Amino acid sequence: MPATEASIRLRDLARRMSGRYAARAALLVGSAALGEADGYSDLDLLVYYDVVPGAEALGEAASALGAQRYGSRTDEEDSSVGERYLLDGIECQVAHVSVGSVGRLIEKVTVDHQLDEELLKVLSGLCDGLPIAGSDLVEEWRAQATITEPLQRAMLAKRWRFFPWWYFQARLGARDTTIWRYDVLVQSAYALVGSLAALNGLYFSTLEFKRAGRFFDRFTVAPDNFGPRLERLFRAHAAASAAELERLVAETRELVASRFPDFDLAIEWGGHPADPGARERRWT
């Protein structure tokens, strides 16, 4: 699909911005990088240096660009600088970071298996972004960020967590649980998507999860018609939604088990087996 006019405009603006910085690389992330930006989209740019310039120098560069409503924040831990300003009426968010910090961040995830949502979001952007400058360096990082089998297992261990609504449906269907039920559905959807992302070797973060359909299209291994069925969880009445959730969990479990037969996929609640097919017993 060709890039939208808004994406082309944002890409041109990103190139103009990166030209102001003496950087090793620059990476555009978000909707503009994917070619799906519209008139509401902002511009997210990551700029990489051997040594990050001081906040004053960066502010001068932004001023030379014609930035308005300028604001910046320095992270004392890694000396990165985050900026936010308007340029040509477009909100721009620019992160200035050191080359060395990127390598350390990749290692935190791929070696130490620190799977904080923020770290996963950063690596997702790294892998899916559009290099504006320094593409060779970006490709080196992407190679270092390749998802290995141990990392897949760590991701699955993080994501494979479900409250078994199907198990309690007879009880909860008779109670006023609408708000709780939708919260469970959201968390279950993230668990399913995250588990399938791990299985497909893709980075996934729950932070600002957008463009879901495009992401699901990248799955080569997934339950049939996964995206529409996931959407129906939130539109069907309670009993039908619980039944569909149960089916999706069961089908996803089969897919994970076929790849990792030794992985513990049991679902329990209160010490009772609550796998798909199990039901709470009514006391008499």
Side-chain angles (χ1 to χ4, degrees):
M1 180 183 297
T4 63
E5 291 185 13
S7 298
I8 294 172
R9 179 177 175 185
L10 291 176
R11 291 174 181 182
D12 289 343
L13 183 59
R15 294 185 181 95
R16 174 182 150 199
M17 292 163 62
S18 66
R20 281 284 174 181
Y21 306 115
R24 291 276 305 278
L27 184 70
L28 180 65
V29 298
S31 58
L34 296 173
E36 298 179 345
D38 57 28
Y40 294 99
S41 300
D42 54 14
L43 186 152
D44 293 299
L45 185 66
L46 304 172
V47 189
Y48 305 98
Y49 310 79
D50 288 324
V51 178
V52 178
E56 183 177 352
L58 293 175
E60 291 175 355
S63 178
L65 284 166
Q68 298 176 313
R69 301 182 187 176
Y70 179 82
S72 70
R73 179 177 58 84
T74 300
D75 188 322
E76 300 300 334
E77 183 177 348
D78 62 5
S79 299
S80 65
V81 179
E83 298 177 304
R84 182 188 295 265
Y85 52 79
L86 290 180
L87 192 57
D88 297 345
I90 297 169
E91 181 174 335
C92 301
Q93 299 179 52
V94 188
H96 303 272
V97 297
S98 69
V99 169
S101 69
V102 178
R104 290 191 293 272
L105 185 150
I106 294 173
E107 188 173 284
K108 283 181 180 180
V109 176
T110 60
V111 178
D112 301 334
H113 296 167
Q114 295 182 28
L115 303 181
D116 300 341
E117 297 296 341
E118 187 173 348
L119 292 178
L120 293 171
K121 183 72 173 176
V122 172
L123 286 195
S124 176
L126 173 65
C127 292
D128 298 338
L130 177 68
I132 299 298
S135 58
D136 289 346
L137 181 57
V138 173
E139 289 304 321
E140 287 181 21
W141 287 332
R142 288 174 174 173
Q144 294 169 20
T146 299
I147 296 177
T148 60
E149 181 176 320
L151 182 53
Q152 282 181 296
R153 289 178 175 273
M155 289 175 165
L156 284 167
K158 173 183 174 67
R159 299 298 184 191
W160 192 259
R161 302 174 187 273
F162 296 93
F163 177 82
W165 196 274
W166 59 85
Y167 180 79
F168 296 106
Q169 174 58 31
R171 184 209 313 195
L172 298 178
R175 288 159 171 76
D176 186 8
T177 59
T178 301
I179 295 174
W180 179 26
R181 183 170 68 87
Y182 275 102
D183 181 56
V184 168
L185 289 176
V186 170
Q187 299 308 316
S188 298
Y190 283 151
L192 287 165
V193 174
S195 297
L196 289 168
L199 201 58
N200 284 275
L202 299 171
Y203 283 105
F204 167 73
S205 170
T206 62
L207 295 180
E208 299 179 356
F209 181 46
K210 297 179 283 189
R211 296 176 287 276
R214 170 189 273 268
F215 190 68
F216 300 156
D217 287 343
R218 297 171 65 188
F219 290 170
T220 57
V221 179
D224 290 341
N225 208 27
F226 176 71
R229 291 171 66 189
L230 199 67
E231 289 282 340
R232 284 200 294 271
L233 292 180
F234 300 89
R235 296 174 181 168
H237 62 76
S241 176
E244 185 67 283
L245 175 61
E246 182 178 27
R247 287 190 290 268
L248 282 171
V249 171
E251 292 171 31
T252 301
R253 184 173 65 170
E254 288 182 8
L255 294 172
V256 175
S258 67
R259 176 66 179 84
F260 300 106
D262 61 328
F263 195 87
D264 184 5
L265 297 169
I267 299 172
E268 296 184 351
W269 199 263
H272 300 287
D275 292 317
R279 294 292 184 272
E280 181 184 33
R281 292 186 178 184
R282 180 175 180 173
W283 60 266
T284 57

